[in-house]
Amino acid sequence: MDISAMLLEAFKLLIIGMGFVYLLLGIMVGAVNLLARFAAEPTSAQSQPNAVGHVPHTADLDPQLVAAISTAVHQHRRQ
């Protein structure tokens, strides 16, 4: 068997092997997407977390603590 025949056989095996790998990866991606669609929890307005920046109204928040935290956040964002 000469070198060109061996290279042709190696190329065939490369194409078959890589095709098989891409086929399996495509099947896995499809299966994960399908499972994610069926396993997703239904969303409702009450189950969603509070929006960023929305502070719940509570009477026990210390105004000085809120001011200190706000100042620290603003200083951190300026850096």
Side-chain angles (χ1 to χ4, degrees), residues 2-72:
D2 61 339
I3 190 75
S4 62
M6 289 192 321
L7 284 174
L8 184 61
E9 186 68 26
F11 186 70
K12 286 180 188 178
L13 288 174
L14 173 83
I15 296 299
I16 291 170
M18 292 303 291
F20 188 69
V21 167
Y22 281 116
L23 177 70
L24 287 180
L25 286 174
I27 291 171
M28 278 184 15
V29 166
V32 167
N33 286 335
L34 188 65
L35 286 174
R37 203 176 280 173
F38 286 122
E41 295 180 15
T43 58
S44 67
Q46 294 176 352
S47 68
Q48 292 179 354
N50 291 339
V52 176
H54 180 264
V55 178
H57 178 66
T58 58
D60 55 287
L61 285 178
D62 183 21
Q64 290 180 342
L65 179 64
V66 172
I69 292 172
S70 297
T71 304

